Amino acid sequence: MSRVKTLGQFIIEKQAEFPFSKGELSRLLRDIGIASKIVNREVNKAGLADILGDVGEINIQGENVKKLDVFANEQFIAALSVGGECCAIASEENEHIITIDNEMSKNAKYVVAIDPLDGSSNIDVNVSVGTIFSIYRRTSLAGLGTNEDFFQRGTEQVAAGYVIYGSSCMMVYTTGKGVNGFTLDPSIGEFCLSHPQMKTPKMAKTYSINEGNYVHFPEGVKKYIKYCQEEDDATNRPYSSRYIGSGVADIHRNLLTGGIYMYPTTAKSPKGKLRLLYECNPLAFIIEQAGGKATDGTKRIMELDISELHQRTPLFLGSSEMVDMAGEYMNTYAEVPTKND
Ligand code: P6P
């Protein structure tokens, strides 16, 4: 039986590949792994809340019952705050950045952007949800982290990853040298290497999009969806439509089997729904390291400028040839802004 390699062992092994590394990034990834295991434990028993006699805000243990995304946010903030390797956190759950002002952390060289529990509305219906994280070197010289530490293009990311809380709990991350997946073995409480050097197929036949927004999609998206639905044996069409409504789950499936995930502009989200800093950039880093692509329909996600913590962008992400094809349709049918736009 091949020897199991835990996340901790893998991180230390890979640390040796960074000659000047003093282990800070390794410890940061370890801290994220610890919080993920705690969140996984709570996500897995979420459905039991009622059975356990949870009544309103106070459960049978007399503890405050928190919404799981609030709980998850607190776990990651706590783990990153005591770990000493991160000086500031930008979270989907917090309007402003959280600066970590303890002696160890305030001069730490990294900042972390995180969506602690993406797709959390799916928990009540037992659909997989996920955590998405992105790590940058701070640009401020010392002292408390600042907003500007987060206003860096995705190409500046040091590491990025997601955790999917599904039929099994997996952590998938990259530090720019490929993508590796680790599955949590509950019997030993360790993430174990299960998907080394993950690569996404250049072409596949799955497209993921909320077609309920069809009427308000850009013309190029409408035309691409129709292309996916046409019958053509030579190009394996029609494709299959697969949309879970939980981005990490859709994107994880497409990473493994190939496909394209699209969240274009809609009437309700004229700038797109997904957030550049803690959703699109980390997912883009991962998919590019796995051989895929990520754009906003025309421009590479990781080259977009960012000036707001919760800035939104359209997202086209997945198999490179599918993202290219969608981009061709977007360019061909680009809408010229009208005078009153
Ligand atoms: P809609 C979850 O809220 C999320 O950010 C992604 O994880 C998911 O793909 C998308 O939004 C779902 O949005 O508008 O289709 O329900």
PDB file of all heavy atoms in Angstrom, residues 6-44:
ATOM      1  N   THR A   6       0.515  13.186   4.334  1.00  0.00           N
ATOM      2  CA  THR A   6      -0.408  14.167   4.898  1.00  0.00           C
ATOM      3  C   THR A   6      -0.099  15.557   4.342  1.00  0.00           C
ATOM      4  O   THR A   6       0.987  15.812   3.795  1.00  0.00           O
ATOM      5  CB  THR A   6      -0.288  14.225   6.433  1.00  0.00           C
ATOM      6  OG1 THR A   6       0.998  14.759   6.750  1.00  0.00           O
ATOM      7  CG2 THR A   6      -0.488  12.853   7.059  1.00  0.00           C
ATOM      8  N   LEU A   7      -1.059  16.476   4.500  1.00  0.00           N
ATOM      9  CA  LEU A   7      -0.891  17.866   4.060  1.00  0.00           C
ATOM     10  C   LEU A   7       0.348  18.466   4.718  1.00  0.00           C
ATOM     11  O   LEU A   7       1.178  19.102   4.055  1.00  0.00           O
ATOM     12  CB  LEU A   7      -2.133  18.682   4.424  1.00  0.00           C
ATOM     13  CG  LEU A   7      -2.090  20.187   4.147  1.00  0.00           C
ATOM     14  CD1 LEU A   7      -1.959  20.481   2.654  1.00  0.00           C
ATOM     15  CD2 LEU A   7      -3.341  20.865   4.704  1.00  0.00           C
ATOM     16  N   GLY A   8       0.513  18.211   6.005  1.00  0.00           N
ATOM     17  CA  GLY A   8       1.671  18.747   6.727  1.00  0.00           C
ATOM     18  C   GLY A   8       2.985  18.251   6.146  1.00  0.00           C
ATOM     19  O   GLY A   8       3.910  19.032   5.902  1.00  0.00           O
ATOM     20  N   GLN A   9       3.060  16.954   5.882  1.00  0.00           N
ATOM     21  CA  GLN A   9       4.286  16.382   5.303  1.00  0.00           C
ATOM     22  C   GLN A   9       4.550  16.972   3.910  1.00  0.00           C
ATOM     23  O   GLN A   9       5.666  17.334   3.566  1.00  0.00           O
ATOM     24  CB  GLN A   9       4.140  14.851   5.207  1.00  0.00           C
ATOM     25  CG  GLN A   9       4.171  14.146   6.550  1.00  0.00           C
ATOM     26  CD  GLN A   9       3.682  12.704   6.451  1.00  0.00           C
ATOM     27  OE1 GLN A   9       2.860  12.372   5.573  1.00  0.00           O
ATOM     28  NE2 GLN A   9       4.158  11.853   7.352  1.00  0.00           N
ATOM     29  N   PHE A  10       3.475  17.116   3.142  1.00  0.00           N
ATOM     30  CA  PHE A  10       3.604  17.641   1.772  1.00  0.00           C
ATOM     31  C   PHE A  10       4.106  19.081   1.799  1.00  0.00           C
ATOM     32  O   PHE A  10       5.022  19.461   1.059  1.00  0.00           O
ATOM     33  CB  PHE A  10       2.251  17.558   1.061  1.00  0.00           C
ATOM     34  CG  PHE A  10       2.256  18.005  -0.365  1.00  0.00           C
ATOM     35  CD1 PHE A  10       2.566  17.117  -1.391  1.00  0.00           C
ATOM     36  CD2 PHE A  10       1.963  19.323  -0.698  1.00  0.00           C
ATOM     37  CE1 PHE A  10       2.555  17.529  -2.722  1.00  0.00           C
ATOM     38  CE2 PHE A  10       1.960  19.745  -2.011  1.00  0.00           C
ATOM     39  CZ  PHE A  10       2.263  18.842  -3.031  1.00  0.00           C
ATOM     40  N   ILE A  11       3.524  19.886   2.698  1.00  0.00           N
ATOM     41  CA  ILE A  11       3.906  21.297   2.789  1.00  0.00           C
ATOM     42  C   ILE A  11       5.385  21.424   3.141  1.00  0.00           C
ATOM     43  O   ILE A  11       6.129  22.168   2.503  1.00  0.00           O
ATOM     44  CB  ILE A  11       3.031  22.022   3.843  1.00  0.00           C
ATOM     45  CG1 ILE A  11       1.595  22.171   3.349  1.00  0.00           C
ATOM     46  CG2 ILE A  11       3.617  23.389   4.189  1.00  0.00           C
ATOM     47  CD1 ILE A  11       0.628  22.691   4.416  1.00  0.00           C
ATOM     48  N   ILE A  12       5.831  20.638   4.110  1.00  0.00           N
ATOM     49  CA  ILE A  12       7.246  20.691   4.526  1.00  0.00           C
ATOM     50  C   ILE A  12       8.134  20.246   3.371  1.00  0.00           C
ATOM     51  O   ILE A  12       9.147  20.867   3.048  1.00  0.00           O
ATOM     52  CB  ILE A  12       7.475  19.786   5.770  1.00  0.00           C
ATOM     53  CG1 ILE A  12       6.689  20.312   6.962  1.00  0.00           C
ATOM     54  CG2 ILE A  12       8.985  19.689   6.090  1.00  0.00           C
ATOM     55  CD1 ILE A  12       7.055  21.691   7.419  1.00  0.00           C
ATOM     56  N   GLU A  13       7.705  19.179   2.695  1.00  0.00           N
ATOM     57  CA  GLU A  13       8.494  18.657   1.553  1.00  0.00           C
ATOM     58  C   GLU A  13       8.620  19.729   0.476  1.00  0.00           C
ATOM     59  O   GLU A  13       9.685  19.993  -0.064  1.00  0.00           O
ATOM     60  CB  GLU A  13       7.745  17.437   0.991  1.00  0.00           C
ATOM     61  CG  GLU A  13       8.441  16.666  -0.104  1.00  0.00           C
ATOM     62  CD  GLU A  13       7.528  15.525  -0.596  1.00  0.00           C
ATOM     63  OE1 GLU A  13       7.419  14.533   0.153  1.00  0.00           O
ATOM     64  OE2 GLU A  13       6.936  15.674  -1.688  1.00  0.00           O
ATOM     65  N   LYS A  14       7.518  20.411   0.184  1.00  0.00           N
ATOM     66  CA  LYS A  14       7.522  21.430  -0.887  1.00  0.00           C
ATOM     67  C   LYS A  14       8.253  22.696  -0.441  1.00  0.00           C
ATOM     68  O   LYS A  14       8.796  23.430  -1.255  1.00  0.00           O
ATOM     69  CB  LYS A  14       6.084  21.781  -1.313  1.00  0.00           C
ATOM     70  CG  LYS A  14       5.365  20.667  -2.048  1.00  0.00           C
ATOM     71  CD  LYS A  14       6.101  20.275  -3.314  1.00  0.00           C
ATOM     72  CE  LYS A  14       5.545  19.003  -3.940  1.00  0.00           C
ATOM     73  NZ  LYS A  14       6.389  18.533  -5.065  1.00  0.00           N
ATOM     74  N   GLN A  15       8.280  22.913   0.876  1.00  0.00           N
ATOM     75  CA  GLN A  15       8.948  24.116   1.391  1.00  0.00           C
ATOM     76  C   GLN A  15      10.407  24.113   0.969  1.00  0.00           C
ATOM     77  O   GLN A  15      10.980  25.142   0.635  1.00  0.00           O
ATOM     78  CB  GLN A  15       8.844  24.146   2.927  1.00  0.00           C
ATOM     79  CG  GLN A  15       9.523  25.342   3.577  1.00  0.00           C
ATOM     80  CD  GLN A  15       9.412  25.266   5.076  1.00  0.00           C
ATOM     81  OE1 GLN A  15       8.322  25.044   5.591  1.00  0.00           O
ATOM     82  NE2 GLN A  15      10.532  25.406   5.767  1.00  0.00           N
ATOM     83  N   ALA A  16      10.959  22.903   0.903  1.00  0.00           N
ATOM     84  CA  ALA A  16      12.387  22.777   0.532  1.00  0.00           C
ATOM     85  C   ALA A  16      12.624  23.313  -0.885  1.00  0.00           C
ATOM     86  O   ALA A  16      13.721  23.717  -1.247  1.00  0.00           O
ATOM     87  CB  ALA A  16      12.804  21.313   0.632  1.00  0.00           C
ATOM     88  N   GLU A  17      11.527  23.340  -1.707  1.00  0.00           N
ATOM     89  CA  GLU A  17      11.677  23.834  -3.085  1.00  0.00           C
ATOM     90  C   GLU A  17      11.772  25.358  -3.129  1.00  0.00           C
ATOM     91  O   GLU A  17      12.115  25.935  -4.153  1.00  0.00           O
ATOM     92  CB  GLU A  17      10.475  23.369  -3.930  1.00  0.00           C
ATOM     93  CG  GLU A  17      10.446  21.863  -4.161  1.00  0.00           C
ATOM     94  CD  GLU A  17       9.196  21.428  -4.942  1.00  0.00           C
ATOM     95  OE1 GLU A  17       8.487  22.319  -5.485  1.00  0.00           O
ATOM     96  OE2 GLU A  17       8.937  20.218  -4.989  1.00  0.00           O
ATOM     97  N   PHE A  18      11.455  25.995  -1.991  1.00  0.00           N
ATOM     98  CA  PHE A  18      11.561  27.469  -1.956  1.00  0.00           C
ATOM     99  C   PHE A  18      12.797  27.785  -1.121  1.00  0.00           C
ATOM    100  O   PHE A  18      12.735  27.828   0.105  1.00  0.00           O
ATOM    101  CB  PHE A  18      10.299  28.076  -1.316  1.00  0.00           C
ATOM    102  CG  PHE A  18       9.061  27.911  -2.152  1.00  0.00           C
ATOM    103  CD1 PHE A  18       8.294  26.761  -2.071  1.00  0.00           C
ATOM    104  CD2 PHE A  18       8.678  28.902  -3.049  1.00  0.00           C
ATOM    105  CE1 PHE A  18       7.152  26.594  -2.842  1.00  0.00           C
ATOM    106  CE2 PHE A  18       7.537  28.750  -3.830  1.00  0.00           C
ATOM    107  CZ  PHE A  18       6.767  27.595  -3.727  1.00  0.00           C
ATOM    108  N   PRO A  19      13.946  27.953  -1.761  1.00  0.00           N
ATOM    109  CA  PRO A  19      15.217  28.025  -1.029  1.00  0.00           C
ATOM    110  C   PRO A  19      15.235  29.055   0.101  1.00  0.00           C
ATOM    111  O   PRO A  19      15.818  28.830   1.130  1.00  0.00           O
ATOM    112  CB  PRO A  19      16.240  28.388  -2.114  1.00  0.00           C
ATOM    113  CG  PRO A  19      15.463  28.776  -3.329  1.00  0.00           C
ATOM    114  CD  PRO A  19      14.106  28.189  -3.208  1.00  0.00           C
ATOM    115  N   PHE A  20      14.532  30.153  -0.067  1.00  0.00           N
ATOM    116  CA  PHE A  20      14.643  31.181   0.983  1.00  0.00           C
ATOM    117  C   PHE A  20      13.475  31.117   1.965  1.00  0.00           C
ATOM    118  O   PHE A  20      13.300  31.970   2.801  1.00  0.00           O
ATOM    119  CB  PHE A  20      14.722  32.578   0.331  1.00  0.00           C
ATOM    120  CG  PHE A  20      15.827  32.663  -0.687  1.00  0.00           C
ATOM    121  CD1 PHE A  20      15.556  32.700  -2.043  1.00  0.00           C
ATOM    122  CD2 PHE A  20      17.159  32.587  -0.267  1.00  0.00           C
ATOM    123  CE1 PHE A  20      16.593  32.729  -2.980  1.00  0.00           C
ATOM    124  CE2 PHE A  20      18.193  32.626  -1.198  1.00  0.00           C
ATOM    125  CZ  PHE A  20      17.905  32.689  -2.546  1.00  0.00           C
ATOM    126  N   SER A  21      12.670  30.057   1.818  1.00  0.00           N
ATOM    127  CA  SER A  21      11.501  29.980   2.679  1.00  0.00           C
ATOM    128  C   SER A  21      11.906  29.700   4.124  1.00  0.00           C
ATOM    129  O   SER A  21      12.768  28.862   4.390  1.00  0.00           O
ATOM    130  CB  SER A  21      10.588  28.843   2.204  1.00  0.00           C
ATOM    131  OG  SER A  21       9.646  28.576   3.229  1.00  0.00           O
ATOM    132  N   LYS A  22      11.301  30.460   5.001  1.00  0.00           N
ATOM    133  CA  LYS A  22      11.572  30.206   6.432  1.00  0.00           C
ATOM    134  C   LYS A  22      10.385  29.463   7.082  1.00  0.00           C
ATOM    135  O   LYS A  22      10.270  29.384   8.285  1.00  0.00           O
ATOM    136  CB  LYS A  22      11.806  31.535   7.162  1.00  0.00           C
ATOM    137  CG  LYS A  22      12.978  32.353   6.601  1.00  0.00           C
ATOM    138  CD  LYS A  22      13.252  33.577   7.499  1.00  0.00           C
ATOM    139  CE  LYS A  22      14.191  34.559   6.821  1.00  0.00           C
ATOM    140  NZ  LYS A  22      13.484  35.235   5.677  1.00  0.00           N
ATOM    141  N   GLY A  23       9.465  29.035   6.232  1.00  0.00           N
ATOM    142  CA  GLY A  23       8.370  28.236   6.776  1.00  0.00           C
ATOM    143  C   GLY A  23       7.116  29.020   7.084  1.00  0.00           C
ATOM    144  O   GLY A  23       6.103  28.461   7.508  1.00  0.00           O
ATOM    145  N   GLU A  24       7.146  30.369   6.836  1.00  0.00           N
ATOM    146  CA  GLU A  24       5.935  31.140   7.186  1.00  0.00           C
ATOM    147  C   GLU A  24       4.732  30.688   6.373  1.00  0.00           C
ATOM    148  O   GLU A  24       3.650  30.487   6.889  1.00  0.00           O
ATOM    149  CB  GLU A  24       6.151  32.646   6.925  1.00  0.00           C
ATOM    150  CG  GLU A  24       7.211  33.312   7.776  1.00  0.00           C
ATOM    151  CD  GLU A  24       8.496  33.499   7.012  1.00  0.00           C
ATOM    152  OE1 GLU A  24       8.803  32.620   6.189  1.00  0.00           O
ATOM    153  OE2 GLU A  24       9.175  34.516   7.236  1.00  0.00           O
ATOM    154  N   LEU A  25       4.933  30.516   5.042  1.00  0.00           N
ATOM    155  CA  LEU A  25       3.802  30.119   4.196  1.00  0.00           C
ATOM    156  C   LEU A  25       3.330  28.723   4.587  1.00  0.00           C
ATOM    157  O   LEU A  25       2.122  28.461   4.630  1.00  0.00           O
ATOM    158  CB  LEU A  25       4.206  30.145   2.709  1.00  0.00           C
ATOM    159  CG  LEU A  25       3.089  29.770   1.721  1.00  0.00           C
ATOM    160  CD1 LEU A  25       1.904  30.720   1.848  1.00  0.00           C
ATOM    161  CD2 LEU A  25       3.623  29.770   0.282  1.00  0.00           C
ATOM    162  N   SER A  26       4.272  27.856   4.919  1.00  0.00           N
ATOM    163  CA  SER A  26       3.893  26.497   5.347  1.00  0.00           C
ATOM    164  C   SER A  26       3.001  26.558   6.580  1.00  0.00           C
ATOM    165  O   SER A  26       1.972  25.895   6.653  1.00  0.00           O
ATOM    166  CB  SER A  26       5.166  25.693   5.684  1.00  0.00           C
ATOM    167  OG  SER A  26       5.980  25.624   4.539  1.00  0.00           O
ATOM    168  N   ARG A  27       3.390  27.429   7.517  1.00  0.00           N
ATOM    169  CA  ARG A  27       2.581  27.512   8.744  1.00  0.00           C
ATOM    170  C   ARG A  27       1.216  28.140   8.452  1.00  0.00           C
ATOM    171  O   ARG A  27       0.206  27.753   9.026  1.00  0.00           O
ATOM    172  CB  ARG A  27       3.349  28.303   9.813  1.00  0.00           C
ATOM    173  CG  ARG A  27       4.512  27.517  10.431  1.00  0.00           C
ATOM    174  CD  ARG A  27       5.107  28.222  11.621  1.00  0.00           C
ATOM    175  NE  ARG A  27       5.833  29.444  11.233  1.00  0.00           N
ATOM    176  CZ  ARG A  27       7.114  29.433  10.829  1.00  0.00           C
ATOM    177  NH1 ARG A  27       7.773  28.283  10.723  1.00  0.00           N
ATOM    178  NH2 ARG A  27       7.736  30.569  10.507  1.00  0.00           N
ATOM    179  N   LEU A  28       1.169  29.059   7.506  1.00  0.00           N
ATOM    180  CA  LEU A  28      -0.094  29.711   7.127  1.00  0.00           C
ATOM    181  C   LEU A  28      -1.051  28.662   6.531  1.00  0.00           C
ATOM    182  O   LEU A  28      -2.224  28.587   6.899  1.00  0.00           O
ATOM    183  CB  LEU A  28       0.199  30.801   6.103  1.00  0.00           C
ATOM    184  CG  LEU A  28      -0.826  31.886   5.862  1.00  0.00           C
ATOM    185  CD1 LEU A  28      -1.351  32.476   7.151  1.00  0.00           C
ATOM    186  CD2 LEU A  28      -0.215  32.993   5.001  1.00  0.00           C
ATOM    187  N   LEU A  29      -0.533  27.832   5.651  1.00  0.00           N
ATOM    188  CA  LEU A  29      -1.369  26.777   5.041  1.00  0.00           C
ATOM    189  C   LEU A  29      -1.814  25.776   6.105  1.00  0.00           C
ATOM    190  O   LEU A  29      -2.939  25.282   6.093  1.00  0.00           O
ATOM    191  CB  LEU A  29      -0.595  26.075   3.917  1.00  0.00           C
ATOM    192  CG  LEU A  29      -0.356  26.932   2.668  1.00  0.00           C
ATOM    193  CD1 LEU A  29       0.698  26.296   1.768  1.00  0.00           C
ATOM    194  CD2 LEU A  29      -1.661  27.149   1.897  1.00  0.00           C
ATOM    195  N   ARG A  30      -0.916  25.526   7.075  1.00  0.00           N
ATOM    196  CA  ARG A  30      -1.292  24.616   8.178  1.00  0.00           C
ATOM    197  C   ARG A  30      -2.460  25.219   8.973  1.00  0.00           C
ATOM    198  O   ARG A  30      -3.434  24.529   9.286  1.00  0.00           O
ATOM    199  CB  ARG A  30      -0.074  24.429   9.098  1.00  0.00           C
ATOM    200  CG  ARG A  30      -0.347  23.639  10.370  1.00  0.00           C
ATOM    201  CD  ARG A  30       0.584  24.107  11.458  1.00  0.00           C
ATOM    202  NE  ARG A  30       0.365  25.540  11.767  1.00  0.00           N
ATOM    203  CZ  ARG A  30       1.250  26.284  12.472  1.00  0.00           C
ATOM    204  NH1 ARG A  30       2.377  25.753  12.859  1.00  0.00           N
ATOM    205  NH2 ARG A  30       0.985  27.571  12.728  1.00  0.00           N
ATOM    206  N   ASP A  31      -2.378  26.522   9.237  1.00  0.00           N
ATOM    207  CA  ASP A  31      -3.442  27.184  10.023  1.00  0.00           C
ATOM    208  C   ASP A  31      -4.785  27.105   9.295  1.00  0.00           C
ATOM    209  O   ASP A  31      -5.833  26.869   9.902  1.00  0.00           O
ATOM    210  CB  ASP A  31      -3.084  28.655  10.268  1.00  0.00           C
ATOM    211  CG  ASP A  31      -1.811  28.803  11.106  1.00  0.00           C
ATOM    212  OD1 ASP A  31      -1.419  27.810  11.777  1.00  0.00           O
ATOM    213  OD2 ASP A  31      -1.183  29.879  11.044  1.00  0.00           O
ATOM    214  N   ILE A  32      -4.748  27.286   7.974  1.00  0.00           N
ATOM    215  CA  ILE A  32      -5.984  27.202   7.184  1.00  0.00           C
ATOM    216  C   ILE A  32      -6.522  25.772   7.217  1.00  0.00           C
ATOM    217  O   ILE A  32      -7.732  25.542   7.352  1.00  0.00           O
ATOM    218  CB  ILE A  32      -5.726  27.683   5.736  1.00  0.00           C
ATOM    219  CG1 ILE A  32      -5.462  29.197   5.731  1.00  0.00           C
ATOM    220  CG2 ILE A  32      -6.899  27.320   4.826  1.00  0.00           C
ATOM    221  CD1 ILE A  32      -4.970  29.739   4.408  1.00  0.00           C
ATOM    222  N   GLY A  33      -5.621  24.802   7.171  1.00  0.00           N
ATOM    223  CA  GLY A  33      -6.054  23.403   7.242  1.00  0.00           C
ATOM    224  C   GLY A  33      -6.729  23.075   8.565  1.00  0.00           C
ATOM    225  O   GLY A  33      -7.753  22.389   8.602  1.00  0.00           O
ATOM    226  N   ILE A  34      -6.202  23.612   9.651  1.00  0.00           N
ATOM    227  CA  ILE A  34      -6.793  23.354  10.975  1.00  0.00           C
ATOM    228  C   ILE A  34      -8.220  23.914  11.052  1.00  0.00           C
ATOM    229  O   ILE A  34      -9.162  23.225  11.424  1.00  0.00           O
ATOM    230  CB  ILE A  34      -5.904  23.972  12.086  1.00  0.00           C
ATOM    231  CG1 ILE A  34      -4.579  23.199  12.185  1.00  0.00           C
ATOM    232  CG2 ILE A  34      -6.647  23.979  13.428  1.00  0.00           C
ATOM    233  CD1 ILE A  34      -3.520  23.894  13.010  1.00  0.00           C
ATOM    234  N   ALA A  35      -8.374  25.164  10.606  1.00  0.00           N
ATOM    235  CA  ALA A  35      -9.716  25.783  10.654  1.00  0.00           C
ATOM    236  C   ALA A  35     -10.683  25.017   9.759  1.00  0.00           C
ATOM    237  O   ALA A  35     -11.854  24.824  10.100  1.00  0.00           O
ATOM    238  CB  ALA A  35      -9.622  27.244  10.221  1.00  0.00           C
ATOM    239  N   SER A  36     -10.183  24.530   8.622  1.00  0.00           N
ATOM    240  CA  SER A  36     -11.055  23.786   7.680  1.00  0.00           C
ATOM    241  C   SER A  36     -11.609  22.526   8.324  1.00  0.00           C
ATOM    242  O   SER A  36     -12.770  22.167   8.115  1.00  0.00           O
ATOM    243  CB  SER A  36     -10.272  23.392   6.426  1.00  0.00           C
ATOM    244  OG  SER A  36      -9.732  24.530   5.805  1.00  0.00           O
ATOM    245  N   LYS A  37     -10.786  21.855   9.143  1.00  0.00           N
ATOM    246  CA  LYS A  37     -11.247  20.619   9.782  1.00  0.00           C
ATOM    247  C   LYS A  37     -12.341  20.918  10.808  1.00  0.00           C
ATOM    248  O   LYS A  37     -13.318  20.185  10.932  1.00  0.00           O
ATOM    249  CB  LYS A  37     -10.066  19.907  10.447  1.00  0.00           C
ATOM    250  CG  LYS A  37      -9.129  19.257   9.435  1.00  0.00           C
ATOM    251  CD  LYS A  37      -8.100  18.357  10.079  1.00  0.00           C
ATOM    252  CE  LYS A  37      -6.855  19.070  10.458  1.00  0.00           C
ATOM    253  NZ  LYS A  37      -5.749  18.169  10.844  1.00  0.00           N
ATOM    254  N   ILE A  38     -12.202  22.051  11.493  1.00  0.00           N
ATOM    255  CA  ILE A  38     -13.228  22.442  12.472  1.00  0.00           C
ATOM    256  C   ILE A  38     -14.533  22.798  11.760  1.00  0.00           C
ATOM    257  O   ILE A  38     -15.617  22.377  12.144  1.00  0.00           O
ATOM    258  CB  ILE A  38     -12.731  23.636  13.321  1.00  0.00           C
ATOM    259  CG1 ILE A  38     -11.513  23.225  14.151  1.00  0.00           C
ATOM    260  CG2 ILE A  38     -13.853  24.164  14.222  1.00  0.00           C
ATOM    261  CD1 ILE A  38     -10.809  24.393  14.831  1.00  0.00           C
ATOM    262  N   VAL A  39     -14.405  23.542  10.669  1.00  0.00           N
ATOM    263  CA  VAL A  39     -15.598  23.924   9.892  1.00  0.00           C
ATOM    264  C   VAL A  39     -16.267  22.682   9.320  1.00  0.00           C
ATOM    265  O   VAL A  39     -17.483  22.527   9.390  1.00  0.00           O
ATOM    266  CB  VAL A  39     -15.222  24.917   8.768  1.00  0.00           C
ATOM    267  CG1 VAL A  39     -16.408  25.133   7.812  1.00  0.00           C
ATOM    268  CG2 VAL A  39     -14.763  26.242   9.358  1.00  0.00           C
ATOM    269  N   ASN A  40     -15.453  21.756   8.817  1.00  0.00           N
ATOM    270  CA  ASN A  40     -16.016  20.522   8.253  1.00  0.00           C
ATOM    271  C   ASN A  40     -16.844  19.768   9.287  1.00  0.00           C
ATOM    272  O   ASN A  40     -17.941  19.274   8.998  1.00  0.00           O
ATOM    273  CB  ASN A  40     -14.890  19.616   7.739  1.00  0.00           C
ATOM    274  CG  ASN A  40     -15.416  18.306   7.150  1.00  0.00           C
ATOM    275  OD1 ASN A  40     -16.188  18.332   6.184  1.00  0.00           O
ATOM    276  ND2 ASN A  40     -15.042  17.190   7.746  1.00  0.00           N
ATOM    277  N   ARG A  41     -16.340  19.726  10.509  1.00  0.00           N
ATOM    278  CA  ARG A  41     -17.063  19.006  11.578  1.00  0.00           C
ATOM    279  C   ARG A  41     -18.434  19.642  11.792  1.00  0.00           C
ATOM    280  O   ARG A  41     -19.454  18.961  11.855  1.00  0.00           O
ATOM    281  CB  ARG A  41     -16.248  19.071  12.879  1.00  0.00           C
ATOM    282  CG  ARG A  41     -16.849  18.286  14.047  1.00  0.00           C
ATOM    283  CD  ARG A  41     -16.159  18.645  15.334  1.00  0.00           C
ATOM    284  NE  ARG A  41     -16.348  20.052  15.670  1.00  0.00           N
ATOM    285  CZ  ARG A  41     -15.521  20.733  16.482  1.00  0.00           C
ATOM    286  NH1 ARG A  41     -14.454  20.133  16.986  1.00  0.00           N
ATOM    287  NH2 ARG A  41     -15.752  21.998  16.773  1.00  0.00           N
ATOM    288  N   GLU A  42     -18.497  20.959  11.793  1.00  0.00           N
ATOM    289  CA  GLU A  42     -19.792  21.640  12.026  1.00  0.00           C
ATOM    290  C   GLU A  42     -20.704  21.521  10.817  1.00  0.00           C
ATOM    291  O   GLU A  42     -21.897  21.292  10.945  1.00  0.00           O
ATOM    292  CB  GLU A  42     -19.540  23.122  12.354  1.00  0.00           C
ATOM    293  CG  GLU A  42     -18.866  23.360  13.680  1.00  0.00           C
ATOM    294  CD  GLU A  42     -19.613  22.703  14.855  1.00  0.00           C
ATOM    295  OE1 GLU A  42     -20.794  23.019  15.045  1.00  0.00           O
ATOM    296  OE2 GLU A  42     -19.009  21.844  15.521  1.00  0.00           O
ATOM    297  N   VAL A  43     -20.133  21.640   9.619  1.00  0.00           N
ATOM    298  CA  VAL A  43     -20.954  21.519   8.396  1.00  0.00           C
ATOM    299  C   VAL A  43     -21.596  20.135   8.343  1.00  0.00           C
ATOM    300  O   VAL A  43     -22.764  19.977   8.010  1.00  0.00           O
ATOM    301  CB  VAL A  43     -20.090  21.760   7.138  1.00  0.00           C
ATOM    302  CG1 VAL A  43     -20.818  21.301   5.864  1.00  0.00           C
ATOM    303  CG2 VAL A  43     -19.720  23.239   7.021  1.00  0.00           C
ATOM    304  N   ASN A  44     -20.815  19.122   8.739  1.00  0.00           N
ATOM    305  CA  ASN A  44     -21.329  17.747   8.660  1.00  0.00           C
ATOM    306  C   ASN A  44     -22.468  17.467   9.618  1.00  0.00           C
ATOM    307  O   ASN A  44     -23.256  16.572   9.396  1.00  0.00           O
ATOM    308  CB  ASN A  44     -20.191  16.752   8.928  1.00  0.00           C
ATOM    309  CG  ASN A  44     -19.373  16.531   7.676  1.00  0.00           C
ATOM    310  OD1 ASN A  44     -19.848  16.873   6.579  1.00  0.00           O
ATOM    311  ND2 ASN A  44     -18.175  16.038   7.820  1.00  0.00           N
TER     312      ASN A  44
END
